[in-house]
Amino acid sequence: MELIEGIMTRRSIRKFTDKKVPKEIIDELLHAAMQAPSAGNNQPWEFVVIDDRKILNKIPEFHPYSKMLNEAPLAILVCAHVKTEKYCDYWVQDCSAATQNLLLAAHAKGLGAVWLGIYPIQERVAGIQDLIDLPADVVPLSLNAIGYPAEKKEPAKRYKKEKVRYNKW
Ligand SMILES: Cc1cc2nc3c(=O)[nH]c(=O)nc-3n(C[C@H](O)[C@H](O)[C@H](O)COP(=O)(O)O)c2cc1C
C-alpha cells in the first residue's frame, strides 16, 4: 500500500474475526512503531504484546471504551520508561508517534486496529499497571486493539481549508 493512500484510508476498527495474527506480522508492527521520531532520538518507548484472553477480557472492567478487547485476538500496549526521559515530558509525543506508526503499519498489513487511550486517565493507568505488573516508572500511554477486520469503513473526509493559515494567524 502506498504511504499517502494508507494514511488517507486508515480508520479505527472495533470488530475483529478470531483469526490469530502471525508472530512475523506482530514483529513488523513493532519494527514500524520503533521507527518513529522521538525528541533527541531518546526512544523512551516500551511495548507489551498482550494475547492472553484472560488478560484482554479484564481490561473493559476498568476501561469503559474497550469492549472490543473481548473479541480482539491481540493488543499492543505502548508505554514509556519515564526515568529515561531526558527532554522534559516529551514521552507523550514520542509514544504517540510510535502509536500512529503501529496503526498505519497494521492497516498496511490488512489488519484492523483502534487506539484506546490510557494516559492521562489515572484509573486506566493504574488498572493496566496492576493487571500486567508494570514497574512504577513505566507509564502506559495507549493500548492498541489489533486483529483481522470484521467491519469495513469508508475513508473519512476531514480536510478543512479554514484550519490552515500561512505565516500569521
Ligand atoms: C488519544 C486517543 C484515545 C482514543 N481512545 C479510544 C477509546 O478509548 N476507545 C475507542 O473505541 N476509540 C478510541 N480512540 C479512537 C478514536 O475514537 C478515533 O480515532 C476517532 O473517532 C476517529 O476515527 P478514525 O480513527 O476511524 O479515523 C482514541 C483515539 C485517540 C487518538
Side-chain angles (χ1 to χ4, degrees):
M1 184 185 289
E2 196 259 323
L3 180 59
I4 297 290
E5 184 199 348
I7 290 170
M8 299 308 284
T9 57
R10 182 216 54 83
R11 296 296 313 277
S12 290
I13 295 299
R14 299 181 177 84
K15 291 185 167 56
F16 303 99
T17 70
D18 52 14
K19 184 176 165 191
K20 278 190 74 144
V21 181
K23 165 101 177 53
E24 312 79 72
I25 294 188
I26 297 173
D27 285 346
E28 277 192 76
L29 304 186
L30 293 167
H31 277 75
M34 289 188 226
Q35 208 64 24
S38 61
N41 196 23
N42 196 37
Q43 304 170 42
W45 40 64
E46 303 282 341
F47 300 87
V48 184
V49 177
I50 305 174
D51 61 2
D52 180 324
R53 173 58 42 217
K54 286 204 270 318
I55 296 179
L56 290 169
N57 287 359
K58 282 216 166 286
I59 295 166
E61 291 175 15
F62 56 83
H63 189 313
Y65 307 109
S66 69
K67 307 263 179 286
M68 75 296 288
L69 291 174
N70 288 310
E71 58 174 29
L74 172 74
I76 298 181
L77 184 70
V78 182
C79 313
H81 214 295
V82 290
K83 279 239 175 87
T84 68
E85 180 62 66
K86 286 191 282 195
Y87 303 97
C88 65
D89 290 341
Y90 274 130
W91 67 268
V92 172
Q93 292 164 70
D94 300 338
C95 289
S96 295
T99 300
Q100 179 70 345
N101 273 16
L102 187 72
L103 295 178
L104 288 171
H107 179 48
K109 288 278 149 194
L111 294 162
V114 57
W115 176 331
L116 307 177
I118 305 293
Y119 181 87
I121 314 287
Q122 272 318 306
E123 190 191 356
R124 300 180 196 170
V125 171
I128 291 280
Q129 280 175 327
D130 281 358
L131 183 64
I132 62 164
D133 301 331
L134 287 182
D137 56 351
V138 174
V139 181
L141 179 93
S142 70
L143 182 64
N144 301 278
I146 298 169
Y148 287 93
E151 64 175 336
K152 202 168 154 36
K153 287 190 175 171
E154 290 303 312
K157 287 202 174 76
R158 298 197 177 122
Y159 183 81
K160 292 192 179 78
K161 66 178 184 332
E162 63 274 21
K163 297 271 187 190
V164 183
R165 283 130 191 127
Y166 283 81
N167 297 319
K168 287 197 171 190
W169 188 268

